[in-house]
PDB file of all heavy atoms in Angstrom:
ATOM      1  N   SER A  78    -100.007  32.728 -92.044  1.00  0.00           N
ATOM      2  CA  SER A  78    -100.147  31.328 -91.652  1.00  0.00           C
ATOM      3  C   SER A  78    -100.477  30.469 -92.870  1.00  0.00           C
ATOM      4  O   SER A  78    -101.335  30.832 -93.664  1.00  0.00           O
ATOM      5  CB  SER A  78    -101.276  31.219 -90.627  1.00  0.00           C
ATOM      6  OG  SER A  78    -101.365  29.911 -90.176  1.00  0.00           O
ATOM      7  N   SER A 193     -89.499  27.705 -66.724  1.00  0.00           N
ATOM      8  CA  SER A 193     -90.479  28.577 -67.369  1.00  0.00           C
ATOM      9  C   SER A 193     -90.352  28.425 -68.889  1.00  0.00           C
ATOM     10  O   SER A 193     -89.397  27.825 -69.383  1.00  0.00           O
ATOM     11  CB  SER A 193     -90.217  30.025 -66.982  1.00  0.00           C
ATOM     12  OG  SER A 193     -89.025  30.469 -67.595  1.00  0.00           O
ATOM     13  N   ASP A 223     -93.346  35.782 -73.716  1.00  0.00           N
ATOM     14  CA  ASP A 223     -93.714  37.156 -73.413  1.00  0.00           C
ATOM     15  C   ASP A 223     -92.668  38.122 -73.934  1.00  0.00           C
ATOM     16  O   ASP A 223     -91.491  37.799 -74.005  1.00  0.00           O
ATOM     17  CB  ASP A 223     -93.872  37.330 -71.909  1.00  0.00           C
ATOM     18  CG  ASP A 223     -95.299  37.094 -71.492  1.00  0.00           C
ATOM     19  OD1 ASP A 223     -96.191  37.570 -72.202  1.00  0.00           O
ATOM     20  OD2 ASP A 223     -95.509  36.422 -70.482  1.00  0.00           O
ATOM     21  N   SER A 225     -91.069  40.558 -72.719  1.00  0.00           N
ATOM     22  CA  SER A 225     -89.884  40.876 -71.928  1.00  0.00           C
ATOM     23  C   SER A 225     -88.835  39.784 -72.084  1.00  0.00           C
ATOM     24  O   SER A 225     -87.644  40.038 -72.042  1.00  0.00           O
ATOM     25  CB  SER A 225     -90.253  41.076 -70.469  1.00  0.00           C
ATOM     26  OG  SER A 225     -90.579  39.859 -69.864  1.00  0.00           O
ATOM     27  N   ILE A 228     -87.026  39.540 -76.104  1.00  0.00           N
ATOM     28  CA  ILE A 228     -85.845  40.298 -76.500  1.00  0.00           C
ATOM     29  C   ILE A 228     -84.566  39.613 -76.020  1.00  0.00           C
ATOM     30  O   ILE A 228     -83.580  39.550 -76.749  1.00  0.00           O
ATOM     31  CB  ILE A 228     -85.898  41.742 -75.961  1.00  0.00           C
ATOM     32  CG1 ILE A 228     -87.090  42.472 -76.571  1.00  0.00           C
ATOM     33  CG2 ILE A 228     -84.614  42.496 -76.285  1.00  0.00           C
ATOM     34  CD1 ILE A 228     -87.093  42.504 -78.078  1.00  0.00           C
ATOM     35  N   ARG A 256     -87.240  42.314 -88.537  1.00  0.00           N
ATOM     36  CA  ARG A 256     -86.382  43.480 -88.698  1.00  0.00           C
ATOM     37  C   ARG A 256     -85.263  43.467 -87.659  1.00  0.00           C
ATOM     38  O   ARG A 256     -84.127  43.825 -87.941  1.00  0.00           O
ATOM     39  CB  ARG A 256     -87.210  44.749 -88.532  1.00  0.00           C
ATOM     40  CG  ARG A 256     -86.398  46.001 -88.745  1.00  0.00           C
ATOM     41  CD  ARG A 256     -87.203  47.229 -88.433  1.00  0.00           C
ATOM     42  NE  ARG A 256     -86.508  48.418 -88.876  1.00  0.00           N
ATOM     43  CZ  ARG A 256     -86.725  49.623 -88.381  1.00  0.00           C
ATOM     44  NH1 ARG A 256     -87.649  49.782 -87.447  1.00  0.00           N
ATOM     45  NH2 ARG A 256     -86.059  50.652 -88.818  1.00  0.00           N
ATOM     46  N   TYR A 257     -85.615  43.065 -86.445  1.00  0.00           N
ATOM     47  CA  TYR A 257     -84.624  43.052 -85.367  1.00  0.00           C
ATOM     48  C   TYR A 257     -83.564  41.973 -85.582  1.00  0.00           C
ATOM     49  O   TYR A 257     -82.411  42.156 -85.241  1.00  0.00           O
ATOM     50  CB  TYR A 257     -85.348  42.815 -84.035  1.00  0.00           C
ATOM     51  CG  TYR A 257     -84.489  43.102 -82.829  1.00  0.00           C
ATOM     52  CD1 TYR A 257     -84.012  44.386 -82.573  1.00  0.00           C
ATOM     53  CD2 TYR A 257     -84.153  42.091 -81.935  1.00  0.00           C
ATOM     54  CE1 TYR A 257     -83.237  44.656 -81.474  1.00  0.00           C
ATOM     55  CE2 TYR A 257     -83.375  42.359 -80.816  1.00  0.00           C
ATOM     56  CZ  TYR A 257     -82.919  43.643 -80.597  1.00  0.00           C
ATOM     57  OH  TYR A 257     -82.151  43.912 -79.498  1.00  0.00           O
ATOM     58  N   CYS A 259     -82.872  40.038 -88.639  1.00  0.00           N
ATOM     59  CA  CYS A 259     -82.412  39.530 -89.928  1.00  0.00           C
ATOM     60  C   CYS A 259     -81.708  40.565 -90.792  1.00  0.00           C
ATOM     61  O   CYS A 259     -82.079  41.732 -90.823  1.00  0.00           O
ATOM     62  CB  CYS A 259     -83.597  38.955 -90.706  1.00  0.00           C
ATOM     63  SG  CYS A 259     -84.455  37.704 -89.751  1.00  0.00           S
ATOM     64  N   GLU A 277     -83.862  46.565 -94.422  1.00  0.00           N
ATOM     65  CA  GLU A 277     -84.314  47.954 -94.420  1.00  0.00           C
ATOM     66  C   GLU A 277     -84.882  48.361 -95.775  1.00  0.00           C
ATOM     67  O   GLU A 277     -85.786  49.183 -95.863  1.00  0.00           O
ATOM     68  CB  GLU A 277     -83.184  48.901 -94.003  1.00  0.00           C
ATOM     69  CG  GLU A 277     -82.769  48.764 -92.543  1.00  0.00           C
ATOM     70  CD  GLU A 277     -83.934  48.921 -91.553  1.00  0.00           C
ATOM     71  OE1 GLU A 277     -84.619  49.945 -91.588  1.00  0.00           O
ATOM     72  OE2 GLU A 277     -84.148  47.997 -90.748  1.00  0.00           O
ATOM     73  N   ALA A 294    -100.256  46.627 -92.470  1.00  0.00           N
ATOM     74  CA  ALA A 294    -101.167  46.089 -91.450  1.00  0.00           C
ATOM     75  C   ALA A 294    -100.483  45.863 -90.111  1.00  0.00           C
ATOM     76  O   ALA A 294    -101.139  45.578 -89.123  1.00  0.00           O
ATOM     77  CB  ALA A 294    -101.768  44.761 -91.941  1.00  0.00           C
ATOM     78  N   VAL A 297     -98.247  49.425 -84.921  1.00  0.00           N
ATOM     79  CA  VAL A 297     -97.033  50.157 -84.573  1.00  0.00           C
ATOM     80  C   VAL A 297     -97.157  50.670 -83.127  1.00  0.00           C
ATOM     81  O   VAL A 297     -98.166  51.269 -82.781  1.00  0.00           O
ATOM     82  CB  VAL A 297     -96.855  51.345 -85.549  1.00  0.00           C
ATOM     83  CG1 VAL A 297     -95.746  52.263 -85.091  1.00  0.00           C
ATOM     84  CG2 VAL A 297     -96.582  50.817 -86.954  1.00  0.00           C
ATOM     85  N   ARG A 304    -100.585  55.332 -90.197  1.00  0.00           N
ATOM     86  CA  ARG A 304    -100.216  54.343 -91.192  1.00  0.00           C
ATOM     87  C   ARG A 304    -100.875  54.621 -92.523  1.00  0.00           C
ATOM     88  O   ARG A 304    -101.958  55.181 -92.602  1.00  0.00           O
ATOM     89  CB  ARG A 304    -100.606  52.956 -90.716  1.00  0.00           C
ATOM     90  CG  ARG A 304     -99.699  52.471 -89.611  1.00  0.00           C
ATOM     91  CD  ARG A 304    -100.084  51.102 -89.190  1.00  0.00           C
ATOM     92  NE  ARG A 304    -101.479  51.083 -88.789  1.00  0.00           N
ATOM     93  CZ  ARG A 304    -102.283  50.077 -89.059  1.00  0.00           C
ATOM     94  NH1 ARG A 304    -101.860  49.051 -89.746  1.00  0.00           N
ATOM     95  NH2 ARG A 304    -103.528  50.094 -88.641  1.00  0.00           N
TER      96      ARG A 304
ATOM     97  N   GLU B  56     -97.969  41.283 -69.321  1.00  0.00           N
ATOM     98  CA  GLU B  56     -97.534  39.953 -69.717  1.00  0.00           C
ATOM     99  C   GLU B  56     -98.495  38.871 -69.255  1.00  0.00           C
ATOM    100  O   GLU B  56     -99.341  39.092 -68.410  1.00  0.00           O
ATOM    101  CB  GLU B  56     -96.143  39.686 -69.137  1.00  0.00           C
ATOM    102  CG  GLU B  56     -95.074  40.493 -69.825  1.00  0.00           C
ATOM    103  CD  GLU B  56     -93.742  40.381 -69.108  1.00  0.00           C
ATOM    104  OE1 GLU B  56     -93.013  39.428 -69.380  1.00  0.00           O
ATOM    105  OE2 GLU B  56     -93.462  41.233 -68.268  1.00  0.00           O
ATOM    106  N   SER B  57     -98.280  37.684 -69.800  1.00  0.00           N
ATOM    107  CA  SER B  57     -99.104  36.544 -69.450  1.00  0.00           C
ATOM    108  C   SER B  57     -99.146  36.354 -67.931  1.00  0.00           C
ATOM    109  O   SER B  57     -98.120  36.408 -67.261  1.00  0.00           O
ATOM    110  CB  SER B  57     -98.505  35.301 -70.108  1.00  0.00           C
ATOM    111  OG  SER B  57     -99.332  34.207 -69.869  1.00  0.00           O
ATOM    112  N   ASP B 200    -103.791  36.299 -88.359  1.00  0.00           N
ATOM    113  CA  ASP B 200    -102.743  36.892 -89.178  1.00  0.00           C
ATOM    114  C   ASP B 200    -102.855  38.411 -89.152  1.00  0.00           C
ATOM    115  O   ASP B 200    -103.930  38.973 -88.962  1.00  0.00           O
ATOM    116  CB  ASP B 200    -102.876  36.410 -90.625  1.00  0.00           C
ATOM    117  CG  ASP B 200    -102.149  35.100 -90.815  1.00  0.00           C
ATOM    118  OD1 ASP B 200    -101.046  34.953 -90.278  1.00  0.00           O
ATOM    119  OD2 ASP B 200    -102.697  34.223 -91.495  1.00  0.00           O
ATOM    120  N   ASP B 205    -105.596  43.527 -88.529  1.00  0.00           N
ATOM    121  CA  ASP B 205    -105.750  44.941 -88.831  1.00  0.00           C
ATOM    122  C   ASP B 205    -107.182  45.240 -89.272  1.00  0.00           C
ATOM    123  O   ASP B 205    -107.791  46.210 -88.822  1.00  0.00           O
ATOM    124  CB  ASP B 205    -104.749  45.338 -89.924  1.00  0.00           C
ATOM    125  CG  ASP B 205    -104.792  46.826 -90.209  1.00  0.00           C
ATOM    126  OD1 ASP B 205    -104.759  47.595 -89.234  1.00  0.00           O
ATOM    127  OD2 ASP B 205    -104.882  47.209 -91.377  1.00  0.00           O
ATOM    128  N   GLN B 209    -109.696  47.711 -87.230  1.00  0.00           N
ATOM    129  CA  GLN B 209    -110.277  48.908 -87.857  1.00  0.00           C
ATOM    130  C   GLN B 209    -111.799  48.862 -87.779  1.00  0.00           C
ATOM    131  O   GLN B 209    -112.448  49.881 -87.544  1.00  0.00           O
ATOM    132  CB  GLN B 209    -109.838  49.042 -89.326  1.00  0.00           C
ATOM    133  CG  GLN B 209    -108.332  49.178 -89.551  1.00  0.00           C
ATOM    134  CD  GLN B 209    -107.680  50.221 -88.660  1.00  0.00           C
ATOM    135  OE1 GLN B 209    -108.276  51.235 -88.317  1.00  0.00           O
ATOM    136  NE2 GLN B 209    -106.442  49.965 -88.247  1.00  0.00           N
ATOM    137  N   GLU B 234    -102.816  51.143 -81.306  1.00  0.00           N
ATOM    138  CA  GLU B 234    -103.646  51.391 -82.484  1.00  0.00           C
ATOM    139  C   GLU B 234    -105.063  51.803 -82.132  1.00  0.00           C
ATOM    140  O   GLU B 234    -105.671  52.578 -82.848  1.00  0.00           O
ATOM    141  CB  GLU B 234    -103.751  50.124 -83.347  1.00  0.00           C
ATOM    142  CG  GLU B 234    -102.475  49.704 -84.032  1.00  0.00           C
ATOM    143  CD  GLU B 234    -102.128  50.608 -85.209  1.00  0.00           C
ATOM    144  OE1 GLU B 234    -103.043  51.264 -85.749  1.00  0.00           O
ATOM    145  OE2 GLU B 234    -100.945  50.646 -85.574  1.00  0.00           O
ATOM    146  N   SER B 271     -88.566  47.493 -75.079  1.00  0.00           N
ATOM    147  CA  SER B 271     -88.218  46.158 -75.555  1.00  0.00           C
ATOM    148  C   SER B 271     -89.196  45.684 -76.623  1.00  0.00           C
ATOM    149  O   SER B 271     -89.260  44.513 -76.939  1.00  0.00           O
ATOM    150  CB  SER B 271     -88.160  45.169 -74.386  1.00  0.00           C
ATOM    151  OG  SER B 271     -89.412  45.070 -73.771  1.00  0.00           O
ATOM    152  N   SER B 274     -90.223  47.428 -83.582  1.00  0.00           N
ATOM    153  CA  SER B 274     -91.192  48.077 -84.457  1.00  0.00           C
ATOM    154  C   SER B 274     -90.671  48.084 -85.887  1.00  0.00           C
ATOM    155  O   SER B 274     -89.467  48.080 -86.114  1.00  0.00           O
ATOM    156  CB  SER B 274     -91.428  49.508 -83.991  1.00  0.00           C
ATOM    157  OG  SER B 274     -92.263  50.182 -84.919  1.00  0.00           O
ATOM    158  N   THR B 276     -91.302  50.598 -87.741  1.00  0.00           N
ATOM    159  CA  THR B 276     -91.079  52.007 -88.051  1.00  0.00           C
ATOM    160  C   THR B 276     -89.982  52.573 -87.158  1.00  0.00           C
ATOM    161  O   THR B 276     -89.534  51.924 -86.227  1.00  0.00           O
ATOM    162  CB  THR B 276     -92.353  52.834 -87.788  1.00  0.00           C
ATOM    163  OG1 THR B 276     -92.693  52.685 -86.417  1.00  0.00           O
ATOM    164  CG2 THR B 276     -93.497  52.387 -88.648  1.00  0.00           C
ATOM    165  N   GLY B 277     -89.595  53.783 -87.445  1.00  0.00           N
ATOM    166  CA  GLY B 277     -88.588  54.445 -86.624  1.00  0.00           C
ATOM    167  C   GLY B 277     -87.218  53.876 -86.886  1.00  0.00           C
ATOM    168  O   GLY B 277     -87.054  52.940 -87.676  1.00  0.00           O
ATOM    169  N   ARG B 279     -83.877  51.733 -86.603  1.00  0.00           N
ATOM    170  CA  ARG B 279     -83.604  50.386 -86.124  1.00  0.00           C
ATOM    171  C   ARG B 279     -82.677  50.551 -84.934  1.00  0.00           C
ATOM    172  O   ARG B 279     -81.659  51.210 -85.014  1.00  0.00           O
ATOM    173  CB  ARG B 279     -82.872  49.620 -87.225  1.00  0.00           C
ATOM    174  CG  ARG B 279     -82.829  48.128 -87.038  1.00  0.00           C
ATOM    175  CD  ARG B 279     -82.073  47.550 -88.221  1.00  0.00           C
ATOM    176  NE  ARG B 279     -82.269  46.119 -88.348  1.00  0.00           N
ATOM    177  CZ  ARG B 279     -81.818  45.418 -89.365  1.00  0.00           C
ATOM    178  NH1 ARG B 279     -81.154  46.021 -90.335  1.00  0.00           N
ATOM    179  NH2 ARG B 279     -82.018  44.123 -89.421  1.00  0.00           N
ATOM    180  N   GLU B 288     -87.937  37.158 -64.636  1.00  0.00           N
ATOM    181  CA  GLU B 288     -89.255  36.704 -65.042  1.00  0.00           C
ATOM    182  C   GLU B 288     -90.324  37.233 -64.092  1.00  0.00           C
ATOM    183  O   GLU B 288     -90.028  37.552 -62.947  1.00  0.00           O
ATOM    184  CB  GLU B 288     -89.288  35.179 -65.014  1.00  0.00           C
ATOM    185  CG  GLU B 288     -88.048  34.569 -65.636  1.00  0.00           C
ATOM    186  CD  GLU B 288     -88.378  33.444 -66.577  1.00  0.00           C
ATOM    187  OE1 GLU B 288     -89.516  32.989 -66.549  1.00  0.00           O
ATOM    188  OE2 GLU B 288     -87.486  33.052 -67.329  1.00  0.00           O
TER     189      GLU B 288
END
Side-chain angles (χ1 to χ4, degrees):
Chain A
S78 184
S193 70
D223 268 318
S225 72
I228 297 303
R256 182 186 191 203
Y257 194 64
C259 305
E277 292 305 304
V297 171
R304 287 181 304 142
Chain B
E56 289 171 85
S57 184
D200 274 319
D205 184 48
Q209 299 311 327
E234 292 286 338
S271 62
S274 174
T276 60
R279 195 180 195 174
E288 316 226 347

